[in-house]
Amino acid sequence: MLIHTSKSGFVHPLASEITPQAVWNERRQWMGQAATLSAGSVLAAGLPGLAGAAESLPDKITPFKDATGYNNFYEFGTDKADPARNAHSLVTHPWRVKVDGLVKKPIEFALEDLQKLAPQEERVYRLRCVEGWSMVLPWQGYSLAELIRRVEPLGSAKYVEFQSLADPKTMPYVGSRLLDWPYVEGLRLDEAMHPLTLLTFGMYGQPLANQNGAPVRLVVPWKYGFKSTKSLVRIRFTDHQPATAWNKAAPDEYGFYSNVNPEVDHPRWSQATERRLGEGGLLTKKRKTLMFNGYAEQVASLYAGMDLRRNF
Ligand code: MTE
């Protein structure tokens, strides 16, 4: 099994060590958990003290084929099938991630060293896309806070900027006018430090698929999916709110915070409900979207006193 929570951390497995999807599913069934595990209880296993995501319907793990076949990764195209079709051209070895800006100890990591920085664990998170679909995935990684603590942010650091690779040679849509490349996202420092914010290297017991943001991405489960930056190459600490790709492209539609909020509609559609990938077709009854995507108990205090309609 791929997930090591020992001191050695998670290391890229040999092909022979990768758990095939079917075997992984069987293991989960054997554990009596595969089909109807509530996200809260999975979270409780991964994050002691952070249990209790509010959820009325039980969550099921999204089938692997849906999680890897229906994606947003605009560097590889705009159709949901484009990333699966095109992202084979992404070169993930060698890979380096620079961590710099307002920190005492800036550093550039080789991927292998970043993977070993802290013990990795499996976390089952819901991810809700701003477009109204969602999924539930077993991700592997460690809390971004582990990395942040090691680089020692200066007192002036208030925000963290996340930058994706932008390589026109391997990413066919980089250079198009779709977005201002590279894809950039940002978090407030306290959001980045929150234990739910996961620096992610794997999914379903395997390294991340290219279309899901290999070899390292962010997963921020209480925010709309576009905050979860894929194929990270730089993490930069700043004293000002970073200008983010979607906010620059459409400031009225995509705010900086982008917390999942069923009460604040997107200007062009409602955010009250969502379609869970793998749960039937377009006619299947939708699920109710939950405040902070069901993680309110863990994260609502980060926004105490803020007007979440204005700070969308
Ligand atoms: N990161 C990069 N670099 N480029 C992208 O287009 N799309 C975002 C986010 N991260 C995106 C990205 C959006 S809109 C979503 S919903 C999630 O990735 C989708 O993640 P998934 O394909 O693993 O479901």
Side-chain angles (χ1 to χ4, degrees):
M1 184 78 175
L2 180 62
I3 310 127
H4 301 286
T5 47
S6 67
K7 269 199 219 112
S8 64
F10 161 110
V11 193
H12 252 285
L14 301 171
S16 60
E17 292 174 342
I18 293 173
T19 310
Q21 175 60 19
V23 176
W24 188 89
N25 278 340
E26 260 173 38
R27 278 192 193 149
R28 298 304 293 244
Q29 255 143 19
W30 177 77
M31 288 162 77
Q33 294 184 332
T36 53
L37 185 54
S38 86
S41 59
V42 187
L43 261 180
L47 283 178
L50 288 176
E55 172 66 284
S56 46
L57 278 175
D59 279 322
K60 289 184 190 149
I61 305 281
T62 300
F64 183 78
K65 70 169 173 35
D66 294 301
T68 53
Y70 191 94
N71 300 97
N72 277 335
F73 200 169
Y74 288 93
E75 288 85 336
F76 294 99
T78 53
D79 191 88
K80 302 298 173 222
D82 281 344
R85 208 163 22 221
N86 300 331
H88 57 85
S89 59
L90 177 67
V91 178
T92 57
H93 289 281
W95 192 274
R96 299 184 75 78
V97 180
K98 190 192 246 187
V99 187
D100 65 348
L102 301 174
V103 293
K104 229 180 260 170
K105 297 179 173 169
I107 181 168
E108 191 170 315
F109 285 99
L111 177 69
E112 294 71 21
D113 296 327
L114 190 60
Q115 286 176 323
K116 285 185 280 193
L117 191 72
Q120 293 194 24
E121 59 189 22
E122 183 175 89
R123 305 252 188 100
V124 177
Y125 283 166
R126 286 180 293 272
L127 196 64
R128 163 67 156 82
C129 183
V130 73
E131 295 164 334
W133 46 274
S134 63
M135 55 187 193
V136 185
L137 257 69
W139 304 101
Q140 284 112 246
Y142 54 76
S143 293
L144 180 68
E146 298 276 358
L147 167 64
I148 296 179
R149 273 194 282 273
R150 281 164 171 85
V151 296
E152 298 183 29
L154 301 176
S156 51
K158 300 285 183 258
Y159 294 89
V160 191
E161 183 184 277
F162 302 92
Q163 213 183 92
S164 297
L165 179 70
D167 176 16
K169 289 200 281 302
T170 55
M171 299 170 131
Y173 277 66
V174 166
S176 76
R177 293 170 60 189
L178 198 60
L179 287 173
D180 185 9
W181 312 100
Y183 191 102
V184 166
E185 259 308 332
L187 294 172
R188 237 172 37 195
L189 182 59
D190 59 341
E191 297 176 320
M193 288 289 293
H194 192 282
L196 282 176
T197 301
L198 193 71
L199 192 64
T200 306
F201 302 91
M203 52 192 267
Y204 298 89
Q206 306 178 20
L208 284 171
N210 283 4
Q211 59 267 39
N212 292 91
V216 54
R217 70 176 291 175
L218 207 63
V219 181
V220 192
W222 72 94
K223 292 181 179 278
Y224 289 118
F226 67 88
K227 301 296 284 185
S228 293
T229 320
K230 293 178 168 180
S231 304
L232 283 171
V233 291
R234 189 172 179 194
I235 298 174
R236 193 166 71 96
F237 292 74
T238 72
D239 56 5
H240 56 276
Q241 190 171 298
T244 59
W246 285 107
N247 185 252
K248 279 195 275 183
D252 297 340
E253 302 191 9
Y254 308 107
F256 177 78
Y257 283 93
S258 294
N259 292 315
V260 173
N261 188 342
E263 288 161 22
V264 177
D265 288 343
H266 184 279
R268 291 184 280 134
W269 58 81
S270 160
Q271 294 291 21
T273 60
E274 66 199 57
R275 185 171 66 84
R276 185 63 56 83
L277 295 189
E279 285 188 346
L282 290 171
L283 297 176
T284 307
K285 201 163 177 285
K286 290 183 169 185
R287 288 169 174 257
K288 269 185 153 170
T289 288
L290 302 172
M291 189 65 197
F292 297 112
N293 203 22
Y295 300 98
E297 199 178 313
Q298 292 96 323
V299 301
S301 61
L302 294 174
Y303 310 101
M306 271 177 73
D307 178 348
L308 297 179
R309 283 187 177 274
R310 233 160 47 88
N311 296 288
F312 63 90

